[in-house]
Amino acid sequence: MPTIRERETQALDRLREMLMSAGSYSNLVMVAGRVFQKVPWLVREMEGQVEEMSVARKKSSLTELVLAKIGQLVGDDNTLANELVWHYLAYTDLVLARMKDTRQWAVYLLKDFPHSAETASLIDEEGWELRTKLKTALKEAELVAAVQTDVEEDRIWVSITTTKKTKDRARDMEKLYKAKPTL
């Protein structure tokens, strides 16, 4: 079984591949903006660092800056840091899938959802609440789950990865990381 540091390195390598597959530099900026949505100044700061570079170098440099920031945010090489890297990976996968729009998405109407000027803040809360309820329901069904949500305007995108819960948490998490998500 790989060590925690090896799993973290694998996750960061996979994240690098995903970020490089985002397409153009502007698409990568959009993905970085979603990943660091709670701290938008980080993305502006990173863009400023690559501003003077040639077009060919901007994308790879921004990718390395994003990876370095994620590495800095997850911190020490412990189990929690390893799990956090995988959460970044899963969320980035959801954002890229949504951005590339190569999938056929299932659309569901949110019953009794109000249509008002406050919808932007309400939809963020609704996304968080939906994620929390899904995780709770899956846990009650004795499944280990990773649930990611992304919210924009009047839409909520959901990514769910599950595996059967056993007594070996480390092995369950390893299976979860290798499983394909349902988008």
Side-chain angles (χ1 to χ4, degrees), residues 13-41:
D13 288 344
R14 196 162 145 204
L15 189 55
R16 178 179 290 108
E17 290 172 17
M18 291 171 66
L19 291 172
M20 292 303 288
S21 75
S24 67
Y25 171 76
S26 60
N27 286 351
L28 179 59
V29 170
M30 198 264 323
V31 171
R34 295 304 301 154
V35 170
F36 298 118
Q37 61 188 301
K38 300 291 184 187
V39 282
W41 59 268

Side-chain angles (χ1 to χ4, degrees), residues 1-95:
M1 182 175 259
T3 65
I4 292 171
R5 180 51 99 190
E6 289 170 343
R7 283 191 299 239
E8 186 176 333
T9 302
Q10 290 170 353
L12 288 173
D13 288 344
R14 196 162 145 204
L15 189 55
R16 178 179 290 108
E17 290 172 17
M18 291 171 66
L19 291 172
M20 292 303 288
S21 75
S24 67
Y25 171 76
S26 60
N27 286 351
L28 179 59
V29 170
M30 198 264 323
V31 171
R34 295 304 301 154
V35 170
F36 298 118
Q37 61 188 301
K38 300 291 184 187
V39 282
W41 59 268
L42 272 178
V43 178
R44 288 191 300 271
E45 185 179 282
M46 287 183 224
E47 280 184 286
Q49 291 177 12
V50 299
E51 190 174 296
E52 300 297 318
M53 294 181 182
S54 67
V55 176
R57 290 212 27 160
K58 277 185 177 182
K59 185 176 173 184
S60 61
S61 297
L62 183 60
T63 298
E64 292 307 318
L65 287 171
V66 168
L67 292 171
K69 184 53 73 177
I70 289 172
Q72 180 183 353
L73 291 173
V74 299
D76 304 331
D77 66 336
N78 58 30
T79 305
L80 177 61
N82 181 51
E83 287 185 24
L84 288 174
V85 170
W86 284 97
H87 290 297
Y88 275 104
L89 182 67
Y91 183 70
T92 303
D93 187 31
L94 174 62
V95 171

